[in-house]
Amino acid sequence: MATEQERKDVDFKTFDGLTLRGWLFVGPEGGPAVVVNGAAKIFVADVAAWLGRNGVTALVYDARTLGTSDGLPRSDLDPQKMAEDNSDAVTFLQKEGWVDPDRIAVWGFFYSSGIALEAAAFDKRVKAVIVQGLMPEWYLNPDDQESLVARAVEDRANQLRGHPPAYLPLLNEKGEHLTFFKYLAEMTPEQKSHLPTWVHGAKKSAPTFNDSLTIQSFYRHAKWKPTHLFASVSPTPVMILTPENDEIVPPEYQKSIFDSLQSSQKKFQIVKDRSHMDFLSIDLDELLTGQLAFLKEVLKF
């Protein structure tokens, strides 16, 4: 039965000396733990709280350069560094002493799905990985890539001359969401019209939310192609959940990635009647009960 659990403010150091801050939703002493990837106060705190109530200590934190965590310049996304930070989160959980150091999993959704899989591929202290709404390849829109990369190279030179980093807003002057990523550029006009909703929701949930990204963020994503690393997830148990009507990444492609994984303990689940845009509006019991059962099976608790 789910119970109320303690939520603690925590922080931990990364390998390169940043302090990342978030919340620890405390489960039973000596029990399993999950590193929940995603902006702590925007998307995934409810997921972490649910896990804590149901017997799994859950760590959620703001990624580097975002929210309450360290890192300059602000809103400077580096998905490869974020994947590496998962290892430091695991180290924190092991050092903290409350959980079983040999029963730690990582969890990701949408943007952080590839980050979680990359983390599991390299760090075998991770004993299970769960991802949903798999978005593994953040290609730039071909029509924009040449100009964006050129701007990023110019920005690098300008910063070395002492200028501040250049940013791009998530929303333009018309309130439309940027579509520099191929995933977004290929959406229908109707689908694109719903994109600004998450930005407005993030501002409401987290007053410190910055609705712009550094140009270097786009430069790094143009180079980040983690799918070739996913074969190394094996033998770590893996669960992938895919919205039945995902309009951004075809469910068939997500299933092909699952099929390519060689882990002996793996599970694929289609989340019925859900699309990418309304996936997180699902009831948490409905979404997470099967994931908890998977963790109980592979982590043996």
Side-chain angles (χ1 to χ4, degrees):
M1 176 181 291
T3 60
E4 291 301 317
Q5 88 297 320
E6 179 186 2
R7 189 190 81 186
K8 297 168 54 178
D9 292 335
V10 296
D11 61 71
F12 62 94
K13 288 289 187 181
T14 66
F15 182 74
D16 55 352
L18 299 181
T19 298
L20 305 186
R21 298 176 179 86
W23 292 328
L24 190 70
F25 292 86
V26 182
E29 185 175 8
V34 175
V35 177
V36 178
N37 284 275
K41 296 179 177 65
I42 298 175
F43 295 122
V44 293
D46 289 343
V47 170
W50 190 97
L51 291 168
R53 290 194 300 272
N54 286 276
V56 182
T57 293
L59 171 65
V60 59
Y61 59 91
D62 288 328
R64 57 174 57 222
T65 81
L66 301 178
T68 59
S69 289
D70 286 357
L72 294 173
R74 304 303 293 167
S75 299
D76 187 44
L77 300 188
D78 187 336
Q80 190 161 342
K81 285 290 188 183
M82 292 178 186
E84 294 171 7
D85 290 341
N86 273 250
S87 288
D88 301 326
V90 171
T91 298
F92 165 74
L93 287 170
Q94 290 182 328
K95 282 181 57 181
E96 200 260 351
W98 182 259
V99 306
D100 184 336
D102 296 318
R103 289 191 291 176
I104 298 175
V106 297
W107 186 100
F109 82 107
F110 298 175
Y111 175 74
S112 64
S113 59
I115 290 169
L117 285 171
E118 181 177 331
F122 281 98
D123 192 336
K124 294 308 174 185
R125 297 175 302 167
V126 173
K127 301 305 181 183
V129 55
I130 297 176
V131 297
Q132 41 250 298
L134 190 59
M135 300 178 73
E137 298 166 333
W138 283 83
Y139 291 103
L140 296 179
N141 178 25
D143 292 340
D144 298 310
Q145 177 161 324
E146 184 177 350
S147 63
L148 277 173
V149 171
R151 291 173 68 181
V153 171
E154 181 183 16
D155 175 62
R156 289 174 67 91
N158 286 338
Q159 289 192 53
L160 288 173
R161 298 185 188 106
H163 296 286
Y167 285 80
L168 290 173
L170 295 175
L171 304 180
N172 65 20
E173 64 277 1
K174 297 179 181 179
E176 300 165 333
H177 198 285
L178 63 82
T179 55
F180 294 138
F181 292 116
K182 190 170 183 284
Y183 284 137
L184 307 183
E186 294 180 345
M187 296 174 72
T188 68
E190 169 65 19
Q191 292 165 349
K192 290 177 183 176
S193 70
H194 297 291
L195 285 174
T197 302
W198 85 265
V199 178
H200 300 310
K203 287 182 177 180
K204 184 176 181 181
S205 300
T208 60
F209 175 76
N210 185 356
D211 59 353
S212 61
L213 298 175
T214 64
I215 287 182
Q216 296 306 316
S217 299
F218 296 90
Y219 182 71
R220 294 190 195 96
H221 283 79
K223 299 185 294 181
W224 185 59
K225 306 292 184 287
T227 50
H228 72 284
L229 304 173
F230 295 168
S232 298
V233 169
S234 176
T236 303
V238 57
M239 181 178 187
I240 295 178
L241 297 91
T242 295
E244 181 180 30
N245 303 315
D246 198 320
E247 66 275 39
I248 295 182
V249 182
E252 298 80 10
Y253 180 59
Q254 298 183 50
K255 179 61 161 58
S256 73
I257 291 176
F258 172 81
D259 290 339
S260 73
L261 301 176
Q262 299 303 307
S263 300
S264 60
Q265 291 179 290
K266 63 178 187 176
K267 182 176 182 179
F268 183 79
Q269 179 183 331
I270 290 289
V271 182
K272 294 290 187 181
D273 301 320
R274 290 290 164 177
S275 68
H276 198 94
M277 301 305 293
D278 68 0
F279 185 75
L280 288 182
S281 64
I282 193 171
D283 177 77
L284 283 182
D285 287 335
E286 181 182 349
L287 175 65
L288 296 174
T289 297
Q291 298 183 40
L292 179 63
F294 176 76
L295 290 175
K296 287 182 175 181
E297 176 185 354
V298 300
L299 299 182
K300 304 185 186 310
F301 66 95

